[in-house]
Amino acid sequence: MGALSHAGVFAPPANDADGRRDIVGLDRTELTDLLVELGLEAFRARQVWHWIYHRGATDFETMTTLARPVRQRLAESLTIGRPGVSRDLQSEDGTRKWLLRMRDGQEFETVHIPEEDRGTLCVSSQVGCTLTCRFCHTGTQRLVRNLEAGEIVGQVMMARDAIGEWPAPKDGRLLSNIVMMGMGEPLYNYENVAKALRIVMDGEGIAISKRRITLSTSGVVPMMKRCGEELGVNLAVSLHAVTDELRDRIVPINRKYPLAELLEACRTYPGLSNARRITFEYVMLKGVNDSAADARELVRLLRGIPAKINLIPFNPWPGAPFERSDWKQIERFADLVNAAGYASPVRTPRGEDIMAACGQLKSDSMRLSAAERAAMAAVIAEKEAAQAL
Ligand code: SAH
Ligand code: SF4
């Protein structure tokens, strides 16, 4: 039985071992219904919401605006969960990576990247990924399942706990931005991601605005419009190649949704304007996609789309079949793109010493033997067969 058949099928248990229900990840309506079921008044939901998502409470006993019997009733049946932290690694540059463990034992990673004027949390949407982009470490991971909404919000809450930011200040937050750029393809787990982001954006709680949230997709064309209409978050698209021939090979979802369809979906992304551009991510792979001709073709393809181009120097991982482009080549590429009028920052790799940079996330350890590499190739073949890509 292939790993893919597990994706989204085996949801983790919603209850703690003692049978109490974890309420992180419920939307307001679900929380209200649940409290009413417990015999409490509906308006309590709003109070509880404030304690959980604004104050960061993890214990009903601390909710001092609730009468003691109400707190007791809540604590009897409910919990306010957090992901378990299996590992907590800090890079020399301040980047921090957590390996989180869920109730069913599955693990995935979350990364915090502090910068001068902001702090960005790189959030995962799946354990592993069903896709197999050739340059991405997550793509080689066999085990895949969708994360529940509570597990996605839980990453933000755990990070807030760790950096001590409850309640969050209005300005100067250490966790001010969110990018759905961790493990997994967020648009293949849309319902849970959408539910989680609505909770994160809720003004009476974590309150991170849609303008500070970016969702990155490898190009799940049929879901892009909904994402723009329903969530209104910023979109980043993992382009990485300017011909179908190459993109078919390195971003295999291209075989399902080729460049022309992808770019059309970008052109019509709801809310797109010069003030709200799509970010096109382009990983710089030495001798593969980094020539001057590629840069010119990129500019031609994106004509008419309000766009930013984000050049990402390839981040290596053990056994990866590519090398990072030479710095001079990256500069030449960036110059050509800049000359065409695009802002094209080169993304500085962060947290490389702890394998926390883009595309390096993978929850099980990677051995380097030839046998392992062969096994990896087999996993990719199996995943692609299951996807019929
Ligand atoms: N699944 C989503 C989110 C992923 S990760 C997506 O593919 O868009 C964020 C970015 O890192 C993507 O653009 C991804 O293609 C890129 N990436 C993956 N592996 C990388 C690597 N080894 N080096 C640099 N960037 C990488
Ligand atoms: Fe999945 Fe994104 Fe990695 Fe591709 S780049 S394998 S879509 S996580």
Side-chain angles (χ1 to χ4, degrees):
M1 183 53 77
L4 263 197
S5 51
H6 292 219
V9 177
F10 290 104
N15 291 342
D16 271 16
D18 61 10
R20 287 184 299 165
R21 174 77 193 267
D22 185 356
I23 56 176
V24 173
L26 299 183
D27 62 28
R28 280 177 179 271
T29 315
E30 289 167 336
L31 182 63
T32 308
D33 292 349
L34 188 59
L35 298 196
V36 170
E37 256 174 58
L38 295 178
L40 298 170
E41 304 97 320
F43 74 87
R44 299 282 178 211
R46 192 164 175 184
Q47 294 176 310
V48 171
W49 185 278
H50 179 86
W51 278 105
I52 303 177
Y53 294 117
H54 180 70
R55 308 283 287 260
T58 51
D59 185 347
F60 293 105
E61 210 30 61
T62 63
M63 300 185 179
T64 46
T65 53
L66 302 176
R68 167 145 290 201
V70 175
R71 285 184 253 159
Q72 278 168 351
R73 183 77 193 97
L74 290 167
E76 269 162 30
S77 309
L78 309 176
T79 60
I80 307 160
R82 288 292 192 270
V85 177
S86 290
R87 257 187 298 163
D88 179 350
L89 300 172
Q90 187 122 21
S91 159
E92 280 173 5
D93 67 18
T95 302
R96 192 163 168 189
K97 177 172 91 169
W98 296 273
L99 179 68
L100 302 179
R101 194 178 171 83
M102 297 298 104
R103 274 194 204 92
D104 61 355
Q106 296 259 25
E107 294 186 318
F108 61 90
E109 295 179 325
T110 304
V111 176
H112 181 247
I113 308 141
E115 286 170 276
E116 235 163 63
D117 57 341
R118 68 177 72 185
T120 303
L121 193 70
C122 182
V123 170
S124 290
S125 56
Q126 299 180 309
V127 172
C129 183
T130 54
L131 295 166
T132 52
C133 304
R134 286 291 182 272
F135 43 81
C136 175
H137 204 193
T138 310
T140 66
Q141 184 170 324
R142 184 187 204 98
L143 228 44
V144 180
R145 86 156 160 79
N146 284 335
L147 292 180
E148 298 287 301
E151 295 170 329
I152 298 168
V153 181
Q155 297 172 59
V156 181
M157 302 181 77
M158 175 280 311
R160 276 265 176 90
D161 294 346
I163 60 186
E165 201 166 44
W166 292 113
K170 266 216 152 52
D171 302 307
R173 293 184 184 189
L174 296 170
L175 201 174
S176 58
N177 292 56
I178 288 182
V179 292
M180 296 299 306
M181 292 187 186
M183 299 168 72
E185 169 48 59
L187 294 188
Y188 271 168
N189 185 18
Y190 180 75
E191 299 299 340
N192 288 321
V193 167
K195 193 173 174 193
L197 290 183
R198 285 197 187 99
I199 293 173
V200 165
M201 292 189 280
D202 188 298
E204 280 183 67
I206 296 170
I208 295 180
S209 112
K210 63 182 182 182
R211 297 188 191 288
R212 289 180 173 273
I213 299 178
T214 301
L215 183 147
S216 176
T217 181
S218 58
V220 185
V221 167
M223 297 306 296
M224 286 166 57
K225 188 163 176 239
R226 260 186 90 187
C227 173
E229 275 173 359
E230 295 179 359
L231 302 174
V233 295
N234 302 311
L235 188 70
V237 170
S238 296
L239 197 65
H240 306 318
V242 293
T243 63
D244 280 319
E245 194 204 352
L246 178 62
R247 199 162 187 271
D248 278 352
R249 216 155 40 82
I250 64 176
V251 186
I253 197 176
N254 195 68
R255 298 176 210 162
K256 228 179 196 163
Y257 308 116
L259 277 173
E261 286 179 31
L262 175 60
L263 293 173
E264 186 52 28
C266 291
R267 210 164 264 124
T268 54
Y269 187 68
L272 195 62
S273 71
N274 278 335
R276 280 199 71 217
R277 296 162 188 259
I278 292 183
T279 301
F280 288 91
E281 296 160 285
Y282 197 94
V283 60
M284 299 299 292
L285 305 170
K286 187 175 186 167
V288 174
N289 65 354
D290 62 352
S291 70
D294 289 314
R296 287 192 203 98
E297 181 59 8
L298 178 62
V299 168
R300 197 189 67 78
L301 279 182
L302 299 188
R303 203 164 285 154
I305 305 177
K308 288 183 262 191
I309 297 168
N310 201 180
L311 301 177
I312 318 176
F314 170 65
N315 294 309
W317 36 271
F322 298 106
E323 284 176 65
R324 179 179 291 178
S325 301
D326 294 333
W327 194 247
K328 264 177 73 185
Q329 196 66 19
I330 298 179
E331 275 183 342
R332 197 170 305 148
F333 200 101
D335 286 347
L336 284 167
V337 170
N338 284 332
Y342 290 100
S344 62
V346 178
R347 198 184 290 173
T348 320
R350 296 286 305 262
E352 280 187 297
D353 50 338
I354 54 169
M355 287 275 283
C358 293
Q360 291 185 321
L361 306 182
K362 183 171 189 286
S363 59
D364 39 339
S365 64
M366 193 70 194
R367 273 154 296 159
L368 260 172
S369 68
E372 265 294 313
R373 275 202 288 277
M376 195 167 95
V379 168
I380 288 176
E382 183 189 337
K383 286 167 87 175
E384 291 202 345
Q387 287 270 316
L389 280 173

